[in-house]
Amino acid sequence: MQLVPSSDQPRQVRQRCVFYLSGFDPKGAAHYHAMYRTEAALQSQVAGMPMEVGVRQKTASGNSFWKVSANPPEGPVKTHYVFLRWDDIVREHWPRSRIRLITDLLCTTWLNLRSGTLWRMFRLSWPPAVALFAPFLLLCAVLLGTPLLAAIVVWQIPPIDGWVPTIVAITALTALWLAIALALEKKYGMAWLLRSYAFTASQAGGRASQIDARLEQHAESLLHRINNYADDEVLIVGHSSGSMMAASVLAKALSRDPQLGARGPVVSLLTLGQCMPMLGCLPQARAFRSDLQRLANAEAIDWLDFSAPPDGCCFALTDPLAACGVTNEKERQDRPKLLSPRFAEMFELPQYLAIKRDKLRMHFQYLMAGSKAISYDFFAITAGAKTLADRFKNEASVRRYAGLQIVKIKNSAPRHIAGGAF
């Protein structure tokens, strides 16, 4: 295999393979293929890059793929887009029972509180920490608020003339209180966040063995593609919780072939809306921190991380390595390169404000089209003629962003990680 050109010599992409890992989402390849095809057509009109997205097909391993043909100004590009599935595992960890959800909530919140992980996440970036803690606060509000409302009703409507008016008032107010709680849960996707939160705790504690085996399989698929096809770039993409999975897949591949990226195709990692501290700050997540350490030292791998401060489900512009107590040997400041997608520049102000109010929609904007062409373009990244590093080589990594920190963090590593106690 021939050597990769130096970073000073841009490598034009004619053939690319994308390996995509979704977040903690029970929806599978059909949903994400439809989204990619729809949004690619919209972005094509905005950016002027004709694209054709082929039909979805299945592999023997259960993954899905589709072909993408694009015609950027530099010349035609063919992309083999692979959806690395773990949605079946998500569905196995998607409890529908309210009792089970409440049990998971209490256990996971207690784990994060007693280990100091929740406070650590609050210090790193308060919006995702609030989003994770909100279901517990809502449960407390329901459990404490209901008897409080009953006491207020008894005080205001004493049962002098019988209990019927009092019971009717208590029932009506309780129903209203529960309706408000359910509306808040639905509006902010709290049940979805809770399930993701609980699964991450299970993964850290080694109670989700299916995901470890699946990530090993995906690493094998990645190595097979790199070693058997003439791609110019192999791009691994992880969105949301999928950023953790993408990092682990690439790290497992590196453990088998440390020369990945140093020869053969350019190997790039793109993480979008990452929430790695949710796993990496847990004391039990030694295996994941080991994966991050391997990535930190893989100089031949280009790693870019895009996260947006208005996205309350991610740790925006937070270095995932430093947050999880991982350092790179050469102390590179662009490992990974942290960039903002600048969603506000993608739309006219009224449209942007409407998207900003929809927290779930904002979290998925990384994968969607805009109404204006800007430097961040998911479809140019995955189907255009430039490698990930070349596309953003002139943009400096954002460092020391403290806009969402409650207090400035002096020591990047939590004590239970930096001190090696666990």
Side-chain angles (χ1 to χ4, degrees), residues 402-420:
L404 300 175
Q405 291 181 4
I406 293 179
V407 292
K408 185 175 178 59
I409 300 176
K410 295 180 181 179
N411 177 17
S412 62
R415 186 176 62 182
H416 62 255
I417 296 173

Side-chain angles (χ1 to χ4, degrees), residues 59-134:
T59 67
S61 64
N63 294 323
S64 296
F65 72 92
W66 52 89
K67 302 289 187 181
V68 182
S69 299
N71 285 286
E74 298 88 347
V77 179
K78 300 292 185 184
T79 296
H80 183 77
Y81 197 105
V82 183
F83 180 89
L84 294 177
R85 71 177 309 215
W86 65 294
D87 52 288
D88 56 323
I89 297 175
V90 171
R91 287 192 291 273
E92 290 179 15
H93 291 79
W94 194 270
R96 298 184 182 278
S97 162
R98 287 280 170 185
I99 301 246
R100 171 70 186 278
L101 281 172
I102 291 172
T103 302
D104 285 350
L105 171 60
L106 294 175
C107 292
T108 306
T109 302
W110 172 240
L111 170 66
N112 280 269
L113 282 171
R114 69 182 174 83
S115 67
T117 302
L118 189 61
W119 172 238
R120 170 70 184 168
M121 290 191 290
F122 265 111
R123 294 178 67 200
L124 287 168
S125 183
W126 65 263
V130 167
L132 293 171
F133 198 48

Side-chain angles (χ1 to χ4, degrees), residues 43 46-47 340-347 370-378 380 391-392 395:
Q43 188 65 23
V46 171
S340 170
R342 300 186 181 94
F343 290 150
E345 298 177 10
M346 283 187 175
F347 304 96
S371 59
K372 295 180 182 179
I374 64 171
S375 61
Y376 179 82
D377 180 335
F378 181 66
R391 184 170 297 279
F392 299 99
E395 296 197 30

Side-chain angles (χ1 to χ4, degrees), residues 350-368:
Q351 187 179 6
Y352 171 69
L353 292 177
I355 292 172
K356 189 177 178 181
R357 285 191 293 270
D358 186 339
K359 298 304 180 184
L360 191 59
R361 171 70 169 77
M362 176 63 74
H363 190 52
F364 276 87
Q365 182 56 47
Y366 304 92
L367 311 176
M368 303 176 77

